[in-house]
Amino acid sequence: MIESRSSGILLHPTSLPGRFGIGDLGKEAYRFVNWLAGAGQSYWQILPLGPTAYGDSPYQCYSAFAGNPLLIDLDSLVEEGYLSPSDLDSLPDFPPEKVDYGEVIQCKLPLLRKAAENFQTQTEGEEREQYDQFCQEKGWWLDDYTLFASLKNTFEGRSWTRWDKEIVRREPETLDCWRAHLEEDILARKFWQYQFFKQWLALKQHCEMNGIQIIGDIPIYIAHDSVDVWANPHLFHLKPNGDPEVVSGVPPDYFSKDGQLWGNPIYRWDILRDTGFQWWCARFQETLKLIDIARLDHFRGFEAYWEVPAGEKTARNGRWVPGPGSDFFHTLKWNLGNLPVIAEDLGLITPQVEALRDEFDLPGMSILQFAFGSGPANTYLPHNHPKNHVAYLGTHDNDTIMGWWNAGAGASTRTQAHVKKEKDYARRYLNFEDCDQWTFIRALLASPANTAIIPLQDIFGLGNEARMNLPGRSEGNWQWRYTSDMLTDESCDRLLELTEIYGRGKEVEEEEE
């Protein structure tokens, strides 16, 4: 349970500003942490940090353990001598307000490869020892991941089920031959992981020094086209050729009349239980080295999950299947001790899901955008928020608060009449005629919920052009970035004032102690 009142900001690192076309772990990340501290915030919430696959979604990564090399700060590589300043002289004219992933990849990966080559030929002494130690400690996942990524590059991005059959079956002699053949590329990718972890842990230390904890994200599902499935096919419901038998999703909901067909393979929970959930325990242990608190995505899937036959075009024709339940969380608690977990308990939530969440005293989530459609009993209305909850204006799957307020019926499955009813009730509940983002931010911070999280877009009052993700849309997501001039002292001061008024500031906590 989260005991004290606090608040934070939701921002994925890709959305940070900078000259390399995508947010990274450089100086703007440190500036953002300083802004958080100045605004009296306690948390920085991020999305998964893994290397993204086609579609650029952090929820569809090539590895559950690796970091995204596109987040590596190139200026730091210059400072360390792995790149020269002139290497960065001819950068493309990247758009400042969004990530063009294709252009970023074309520009950044050759520079990262050059840095890796310079490291391998020039570096000796303590830095080499630290790199070797990293490769040894992480080898249990790093060796498979770097081979997988190199093979994927060799086979022109095709899914691992479309590679040579001997590789699909992971025949040891074949894999050894490929490791030798791809050694240079594998070493480059190991260097990228070393740099990512080095830079991220330095940034995390800066957060700790400023009293900021990082809330990360553990998606329940793994991308089918990932090293995790390729290296552990026995843990998933797969056909003999490696394709999924059944896939993940959710039934029709607020976002989509056809449901959401995510397409991830489904776990063999019986096999995982027989192994003491070893893979999952390792996943938690590694993730919690990078973050302080884990938001466990799609928590309801651990009680029961929506299973759809592979090949379906929508998620309509699925069925609910029992999940691993309390056995899973008892095992995690046995291995981890404390469970620093927020349960993402959105969607179709049953009493059984709530009982599982409450059995382990896990904070749930309340979304203000869902609050105004059904009268005073709506559990998302601020006066109904439990203390042991995390209250959000919205998540990465929602519109911005002003985008939501100004949107019509086309933004969800709501009718125009429903939208009007929501807005009328919101005006009466929050007692306003005209509003801006601070009307909603104030209501959120006043909530009884001990923790409140605000997307950075909502601090700026941006519309739906700043939306991070639209569920069901295959392109155009995960692109939003802010520009450096938007992070102002004025917004910092205003957020600090409201944070202190509603007892979420650090000084208030210290006085109460």
Side-chain angles (χ1 to χ4, degrees):
M1 181 173 180
I2 299 175
E3 299 287 352
S4 58
R5 288 178 65 77
S6 55
S7 58
I9 296 293
L10 169 60
L11 177 80
H12 196 49
T14 57
S15 295
L16 290 161
R19 61 184 179 132
F20 300 114
I22 188 171
D24 58 39
L25 308 182
K27 64 180 183 179
E28 288 289 353
Y30 286 80
R31 177 173 176 251
F32 173 67
V33 172
N34 295 341
W35 182 91
L36 283 176
Q41 302 308 292
S42 300
Y43 299 110
W44 176 11
Q45 181 164 342
I46 61 172
L47 308 183
L49 292 168
T52 55
Y54 176 79
D56 312 307
S57 170
Y59 294 89
Q60 297 286 345
C61 290
Y62 290 131
S63 170
F65 299 93
N68 188 345
L70 296 180
L71 293 175
I72 294 172
D73 172 37
L74 296 180
D75 284 323
S76 294
L77 298 183
V78 172
E79 292 172 8
E80 294 187 62
Y82 305 130
L83 293 174
S84 66
S86 61
D87 290 327
L88 308 183
D89 284 347
S90 301
L91 296 174
D93 187 17
F94 291 114
E97 73 288 349
K98 70 175 185 176
V99 182
D100 183 334
Y101 284 93
E103 194 169 4
V104 167
I105 289 169
Q106 289 181 8
C107 170
K108 200 161 188 178
L109 288 190
L111 291 169
L112 290 173
R113 193 170 296 278
K114 183 173 184 178
E117 292 170 356
N118 289 334
F119 172 84
Q120 295 297 346
T121 57
Q122 299 173 11
T123 304
E124 299 176 348
E126 183 178 354
E127 186 73 13
R128 171 66 70 168
E129 290 176 5
Q130 291 176 356
Y131 165 80
D132 290 340
Q133 183 179 359
F134 171 83
C135 292
Q136 183 177 3
E137 290 178 354
K138 307 294 186 184
W140 60 274
W141 64 260
L142 181 65
D143 291 346
D144 273 333
Y145 166 68
T146 51
L147 175 60
F148 174 90
S150 292
L151 285 167
K152 191 161 188 65
N153 185 55
T154 298
F155 287 100
E156 299 178 332
R158 294 198 296 273
S159 171
W160 62 268
T161 57
R162 305 299 180 257
W163 299 348
D164 295 346
K165 292 180 180 179
E166 296 81 5
I167 306 176
V168 173
R169 294 193 296 262
R170 293 179 56 84
E171 295 181 2
E173 290 185 3
T174 299
L175 296 189
D176 288 343
C177 289
W178 277 104
R179 283 192 185 95
H181 178 66
L182 298 173
E183 182 179 15
E184 184 177 341
D185 188 65
I186 288 172
L187 287 175
R189 296 175 190 277
K190 287 185 176 181
F191 171 77
W192 299 349
Q193 290 304 304
Y194 169 69
Q195 280 293 329
F196 171 85
F197 277 78
K198 178 181 176 181
Q199 291 187 10
W200 178 260
L201 290 174
L203 180 59
K204 184 174 184 290
Q205 185 177 34
H206 185 70
C207 289
E208 292 170 358
M209 292 171 59
N210 283 275
I212 305 296
Q213 288 188 292
I214 298 173
I215 301 175
D217 209 312
I218 298 182
I220 182 174
Y221 291 120
I222 296 296
H224 174 255
D225 191 17
S226 69
V227 63
D228 307 288
V229 180
W230 176 60
N232 304 282
H234 61 293
L235 299 182
F236 301 87
H237 285 284
L238 303 179
K239 299 175 183 177
N241 70 350
D243 289 337
E245 289 181 339
V246 287
V247 296
S248 64
V250 289
D253 60 9
Y254 173 91
F255 293 110
S256 173
K257 60 183 175 58
D258 291 322
Q260 297 177 47
L261 186 63
W262 297 335
N264 309 78
I266 300 292
Y267 295 104
R268 288 286 307 273
W269 286 114
D270 55 337
I271 301 296
L272 284 161
R273 182 178 281 106
D274 290 344
T275 64
F277 301 106
Q278 183 178 1
W279 182 87
W280 265 100
C281 288
R283 186 183 185 192
F284 262 86
Q285 288 165 344
E286 289 299 297
T287 301
L288 288 172
K289 294 175 182 177
L290 301 178
I291 63 176
D292 300 292
I293 300 169
R295 171 190 177 271
L296 189 52
D297 187 56
H298 197 56
F299 175 82
R300 75 103 53 242
F302 292 96
E303 194 282 323
Y305 54 88
W306 190 249
E307 177 184 280
V308 182
E312 289 285 332
K313 301 301 183 184
T314 75
R316 283 183 171 274
N317 297 322
R319 62 171 187 147
W320 290 109
V321 180
S326 60
D327 286 353
F328 175 78
F329 292 99
H330 279 300
T331 303
L332 281 181
K333 197 167 184 178
W334 177 264
N335 282 271
L336 300 175
N338 184 32
L339 284 182
V341 169
I342 296 167
E344 188 272 287
D345 55 349
L346 307 176
L348 182 60
I349 302 304
T350 64
Q352 292 84 355
V353 177
E354 293 176 346
L356 180 63
R357 180 197 66 202
D358 294 343
E359 180 181 354
F360 295 92
D361 204 22
L362 304 179
M365 292 175 55
S366 298
I367 309 298
L368 191 67
Q369 288 185 33
F370 297 160
F372 304 106
S374 58
N378 188 308
T379 58
Y380 294 125
L381 284 168
H383 72 267
N384 291 324
H385 292 175
K387 281 191 174 184
N388 193 29
H389 256 227
V390 184
Y392 291 80
L393 287 186
T395 73
H396 60 275
D397 283 334
N398 298 109
D399 206 339
T400 66
I401 195 67
M402 295 312 296
W404 166 79
W405 178 250
N406 294 318
S412 69
T413 58
R414 300 174 299 167
T415 65
Q416 194 65 46
H418 190 191
V419 170
K420 183 180 184 303
K421 181 181 177 182
E422 274 189 316
K423 291 186 177 182
D424 288 344
Y425 188 73
R427 285 190 181 95
R428 289 188 291 125
Y429 184 90
L430 298 176
N431 191 28
F432 68 83
E433 288 299 326
D434 297 318
C435 71
D436 62 13
Q437 72 271 27
W438 295 103
T439 305
F440 297 103
I441 291 171
R442 180 183 287 272
L444 189 82
L445 294 177
S447 160
N450 276 339
T451 308
I453 301 293
I454 305 163
L456 187 65
Q457 295 98 310
D458 293 333
I459 296 294
F460 302 147
L462 300 177
N464 57 19
E465 76 282 356
R467 184 169 186 159
M468 196 63 169
N469 179 50
L470 180 62
R473 182 176 67 182
S474 60
E475 297 179 352
N477 295 317
W478 319 109
Q479 295 181 353
W480 176 75
R481 300 174 73 201
Y482 73 92
T483 54
S484 187
D485 61 297
M486 297 169 74
L487 202 66
T488 64
D489 291 341
E490 289 77 12
S491 62
C492 179
D493 292 342
R494 186 158 191 184
L495 181 57
L496 175 62
E497 179 185 23
L498 291 177
T499 300
E500 292 178 342
I501 286 173
Y502 294 109
R504 298 185 183 277
K506 297 170 188 175
E507 291 183 4
V508 172
E509 293 175 15
E510 291 171 3
E511 290 173 2
E512 290 176 348
E513 291 173 3

